[in-house]
Each structure stands twice: as C-alpha cells, then as structure tokens.
Amino acid sequence: MNHNLLEQWDKEYVWHPFTQMKTYRESKPLIIERGEGSYLIDVEGNRYLDGYASLWVNVHGHNEPELNGALIAQVNKIAHSTLLGSANVPSILLAKKLAEITPGHLSKVFYSDTGSAAVEIALKVAYQYWQNIDPDKYRHKNKFVSLDEAYHGDTVGAVSVGGMDLYHRIFKPLLFERISVPSPYAYHMTEYFDTEAVKNHCLNELEKLLQQQSAQIAGLIIEPLVQGAAGIITHPDGFLKEVEILCRQYDVLLICDEVAVGFGRTGTMFACEQEDVVPDIMCMGKGITGGYMPLAATIMNDQIFQSFLGEREEHKTFYHGHTYTGNQLACALALKNIELMEERGLIHDIQKKARQLTKKLQALYDFPIVGDVRQRGLMIGVEIVKDRQTKETFPLQENIVSEIIIKAREHGLIIRELGPVITMMPILAMSEAELTAMVDTVYRSIQEVVLEKGLIQAAN
Ligand SMILES: *Cc1c(COP(=O)(O)O)cnc(C)c1O
C-alpha cells in the first residue's frame, strides 16, 4: 500500500479521538502496520518502543504467539454468539476466573466492551440496587460522589461522574449531578504541611459530606491508588482504605474503577488489593485482554446480585445489555491473558522492574523543569513545570511537553502527555533493558528541548 495515499486518506476520512484535527492534519501521521513484542512498526518500517502500551492496554507484548494461538483456536470454533438468552464457553470460564482473582466476594460478572460501559453499568446497578431493596426508604439515594480530576470514561454517565474540567466542561448541561470531593493531589496542595495532612483534609471533607448527604448518595466511584487520566495522581498510602471505611460507615456503595490500574499495572493484579480493600462493584477494561480486543467487565458482590432477583413482574431485572456482550474472541483472549500472567509470574516481575525504575527515574530531576516524578508500579507521570518553586506550568501555547513527546518519537519511543505531565505506561512484559532505554530516551528528549529552548537559564 502506498504510504502517501494512506496518509491522505487518514486525513480525509478518519476523525481521531481526543485530537485537534487541525493540528493533526498539519502533521505527519504515524501509521502503524505491525507489532513485535515491545515494538510498534510503522508503514515505513520504523520501529518504536511502545512506552504507552498502546493506550495502557498491552500486557505481554504485540504479536504474542500464545495470545495469537488462543484467538485462532477460538475463531475456528465461533467468533460471536449472544449472551441474551444463551451462554457461551469462554464467557463462562472467564467469569469464573475473574471471580477467583478479584478480592473478597466479588463474584457476578456483567460483560461489556469498553471501560466507559463498565462504569455506566456500575452506576446503574448501584442506583437500582437501593431501589430494588426498598424503593420507599431509599427513594432519594440517586447521587454519586467522585473525586476532583476523576476520569471514568467518555459516555454521558461516565462523564457525569468525571471531574476533569478540560474534558467535561462543555458537556455540563447534559450531565446528571455529581457530588465532588477533593482529590489528594499532594504536589499542588502546598498549603498543607505534608502528604498525611493532605490525606486527612480530603478524608475530612468526604466525611463531612457523607454525614450530611448519605441519604441521597447511592455510591462513591474512585480510581484506586492512582488517578490516571488526570496526570498519574498517586494517592497517599492509606487513602483508599479510609474511603472504604467511610463508605461502609455511611451506607454508600464503593465502586472501584480499575479500568486503568487493574491487571498488574500498579504491581498487584488489582490496585485495591494493596490496601486490602474490597469494593462492592469493580470495573475492569483496558488490560483485560492483554491489549488485543475491546472487552470490559463489571463485577459485583452477591448481595447486590441477590437484590435483582425476583418475579418478572417485580421489575427487579437489570434492563441493560450491549450487542457484543460476552464476545467469545475477546473472552478467550482475556482468559489466556490471565493464564499467561500467572504462568509467567508477571506480577512479581512487575514489582521488581518497578523498583529498578524508581532509581532510574530520579535522574530526571537533573532538569529544573521536572517538578514531580510520580510512580506506582509501571505507571509513571513526570510533571513539567516552568518554575519548581511556584509549580507553575507552561502555557499551552508553549508546547514544551508536546515537543518532548515529539523528540522521543524521533528517538524511537512512543509516549504521550496528559496536560503538563509526560506519562510512561510501558508494556507490562517489557524487559529491564527496554525500560531503561525508555527512561534514557525521555531524559535525552527533555535535555534536547531544554537546550533548544534555552530553558536552563529561564528556570534558574
Ligand atoms: C480508560 C478509562 C476508562 C474508560 O475506558 P474506555 O475503554 O476508554 O471507555 C474508564 N476509567 C478509567 C479509570 C480509565 O482509565
């Protein structure tokens, strides 16, 4: 296929997500043709280290023989039949597996195909749960709490519980009401003495809110340990546990959105395990199929499930379902992905590699424009600032962060920015040498931009 034609047609026909298409059409698009382990290969044959795991999804690498094999074996049987009124083999086996690997008594799996849908399902289930158990007593339990800067997806319900002004402001008139609580973004909360004080402030605010309004609150939704899309905001230790305790105390369902952090990303299979937290409802997506196919799941405890049981005319049924729910190809891949994670001891490996990365990442502080380096497992954010003292970021027009990203691409590394934050979300199976190369390339890219823009003087 002719590259120039592909480029022309891409610009003519494809509308890319989260992308200012005017700028995009003025640039040279990266058109990926193949993948090999930790590398993406474009139509011109250039190789790039996949430092964003193809948007936080890839686990074992691209073109993984065992995953390919699982896909081929399944497609030779059947690609898709429906879960409406019938069942299928991989969706049964995967649901059982998910119940086994998730914490506590989470045991009822509702499938969908994107993280956003998994969140919609969680919200609707949480609301209906209260209506099913006592519609009079819980008549007013119809609101949700979420954190400032929260990100739970892009469909209207998921945006309603979102707290990212940049993405969500324009849609405000379409949304249902959200009750927001402060997020413990310690780096920017300099009015508090330390991280512990930040944590206590946020928890106090949450408790005040629950004291006053819990009768109106169906659930609280949170990204456990790390708020990803907001710029890898890592929460203080113990924050999640305290949130769980408050939810129990005030009779509010706890929904953990593990779409980004689940499947090993933070060093445990699920992030909430690190604080011994068992949510009532958990959302999964992204890494679930190892980065092969769109699949998501919402897993509930039995108590919630039971509330939906009744005679048909009681209308306790959950009236929700997506056409491709429980798709066989996706479920077969997810099952294989989890089996490979177990067989290969990937979680243990991630922890080891993460510790080594922590040391490597310190070098980035050589540059005065590096304000904060945040890491949980293989989830890394480097916040770029104009001034380390004031923590002021560069104005959008100055494009400093974008230029670093572009430099990295020129040096064969693909990463992405989230506002002022450079993010590294490597493929989980990446080797130590590749991870080192990733950080070295980021170092070099920052260095070149700093020199070209004369930022050293400006920052000193
Ligand atoms: C990516 C993400 C979602 C949305 O998933 P999609 O598959 O993009 O719809 C929801 N929650 C979190 C925490 C995410 O990172």
Side-chain angles (χ1 to χ4, degrees), residues 18 55-57 113-119 150-155 158 221-224 226-229 257-261 283-286 294-296 379 425:
F18 277 102
L55 216 66
W56 313 4
V57 297
D113 42 20
T114 69
S116 305
V119 167
Y151 177 80
H152 298 291
D154 297 331
T155 51
I221 182 164
I222 183 170
E223 298 162 79
V226 189
Q227 290 180 242
D257 177 355
E258 292 253 1
V259 172
V261 293
C283 306
M284 305 176 240
K286 292 203 166 92
L295 178 72
M379 202 169 184
M425 295 284 256

Side-chain angles (χ1 to χ4, degrees), residues 305-365:
F305 179 76
Q306 291 292 334
S307 78
F308 284 76
L309 303 182
E311 301 309 320
R312 208 184 282 221
E313 59 277 15
E314 290 180 76
H315 293 295
K316 291 184 168 179
T317 310
F318 187 44
Y319 294 116
H320 186 110
H322 299 282
T323 308
Y324 277 97
T325 292
N327 173 265
Q328 281 98 322
L329 297 178
C331 288
L333 279 165
L335 199 56
K336 191 60 169 183
N337 171 45
I338 298 165
E339 284 168 8
L340 291 179
M341 288 182 83
E342 290 171 345
E343 275 168 41
R344 295 174 180 178
L346 191 63
I347 298 290
H348 176 261
D349 255 25
I350 291 168
Q351 292 172 359
K352 186 160 150 261
K353 290 186 290 196
R355 281 193 296 273
Q356 267 147 355
L357 263 186
T358 308
K359 290 183 221 146
K360 282 250 140 218
L361 287 165
Q362 296 313 304
L364 299 178
Y365 283 116

Side-chain angles (χ1 to χ4, degrees), residues 289-300:
T289 62
Y292 263 59
M293 287 198 66
L295 178 72
T298 310
I299 189 165
M300 266 78 55

Side-chain angles (χ1 to χ4, degrees), residues 209-234:
L209 169 78
L210 293 176
Q211 260 166 6
Q212 290 161 6
Q213 296 191 53
S214 66
Q216 286 115 57
I217 298 170
L220 175 148
I221 182 164
I222 183 170
E223 298 162 79
L225 303 191
V226 189
Q227 290 180 242
I232 320 293
I233 301 174
T234 50

Side-chain angles (χ1 to χ4, degrees), residues 144-152 158-165 168 178-185 202-203 206 209 219-227 230 233-236 239-240 243 247 254-255:
F144 288 91
V145 178
S146 68
L147 271 58
D148 287 338
E149 300 300 317
Y151 177 80
H152 298 291
V159 169
S160 294
V161 290
M164 294 187 66
D165 198 46
H168 301 152
R178 166 182 92 101
I179 306 179
S180 66
V181 286
S183 152
Y185 191 178
C202 294
L203 290 168
L206 174 61
L209 169 78
L220 175 148
I221 182 164
I222 183 170
E223 298 162 79
L225 303 191
V226 189
Q227 290 180 242
I233 301 174
T234 50
H235 290 165
F239 178 72
L240 183 66
V243 170
C247 286
L254 174 63
I255 305 168

